[in-house]
Amino acid sequence: MSTETGRLLMLLGGVIFLIGLLITAAPRVPGLGRLPGDLVLQRDSFTLFAPCGTMIVMSIILTVVINVILRVLR
């Protein structure tokens, strides 16, 4: 294995760690999952939750964070 493969694996491990940290902290963020655009359909024995608004906000935040990280690493 080369040095680049080792660095890639360390970076991947760090990213997985950060994702786990975000998932652990997500329930504590107020309003997350209850934004406008989050769809909840409830029937007799069926509930569908589609967090469209939350996905858009998270996508924007992650795009900004990843762009900042990539610019710092250059």
Side-chain angles (χ1 to χ4, degrees):
M1 290 194 145
S2 68
T3 305
E4 296 230 358
T5 305
R7 288 181 183 169
L8 180 63
L9 287 173
M10 287 190 300
L11 180 64
L12 185 61
V15 168
I16 291 172
F17 174 77
L18 290 175
I19 290 171
L21 192 64
L22 286 174
I23 290 172
T24 303
R28 297 184 185 128
V29 177
L32 192 63
R34 297 188 190 330
L35 296 174
D38 291 346
L39 305 173
V40 179
L41 299 174
Q42 294 181 338
R43 300 285 185 242
D44 298 331
S45 63
F46 177 77
T47 302
L48 173 69
F49 178 66
C52 297
T54 301
M55 288 189 292
I56 291 170
V57 169
M58 293 302 293
S59 175
I60 292 169
I61 291 171
L62 287 173
T63 299
V64 169
V65 169
I66 290 171
N67 279 322
V68 167
I69 290 171
L70 290 176
R71 288 178 193 243
V72 167
L73 291 177
R74 272 194 195 169

